Amino acid sequence: LHLVVGEPGAGKTILAHHVGARVAREMGPVLYLTAFIETHHTLLHQARQLGLLDPKMLAERRFFYSSLAPFLERGGLKEVREEIVRMVHE
């Protein structure tokens, strides 16, 4: 588990996609979690526009996106933890 934090525009999304795409290609599935305002559409658009993510990775279920925002709003960190555990097992 890697947590990337920083100011807006620091390059967190680009870094996460670079690392995630390489791991997905060479080692196995990647679960990309966000708890903020970035929608999956926005993340996919950015990744594709920068050439960071091969669409085949999504189709072949090697790169997964999920938002923790609803779980954070609904049940706080306890529910976020439970959702992360559930997704990792899945």
Side-chain angles (χ1 to χ4, degrees):
L1 175 66
H2 299 279
L3 177 64
V4 180
V5 296
E7 297 292 322
K12 301 176 299 291
T13 300
I14 293 171
L15 174 64
H17 277 98
H18 271 291
V19 171
R22 183 164 185 166
V23 169
R25 274 193 309 273
E26 298 177 10
M27 300 171 66
V30 169
L31 177 59
Y32 185 112
L33 303 172
T34 183
F36 300 106
I37 59 172
E38 297 165 315
T39 66
H40 294 159
H41 177 75
T42 300
L43 290 170
L44 283 169
H45 177 73
Q46 289 174 346
R48 286 180 180 149
Q49 192 173 36
L50 295 170
L52 300 175
L53 185 62
D54 182 348
K56 284 193 313 185
M57 286 188 217
L58 299 171
E60 295 171 357
R61 300 180 55 84
R62 289 186 283 148
F63 202 104
F64 301 86
Y65 285 103
S66 187
S67 175
L68 297 172
F71 303 96
L72 186 59
E73 291 171 7
R74 187 172 53 231
L77 293 178
K78 181 179 184 288
E79 194 153 335
V80 165
R81 179 190 172 283
E82 290 170 0
E83 180 60 11
I84 291 171
V85 169
R86 186 197 68 74
M87 285 187 284
V88 168
H89 283 284
E90 184 180 306

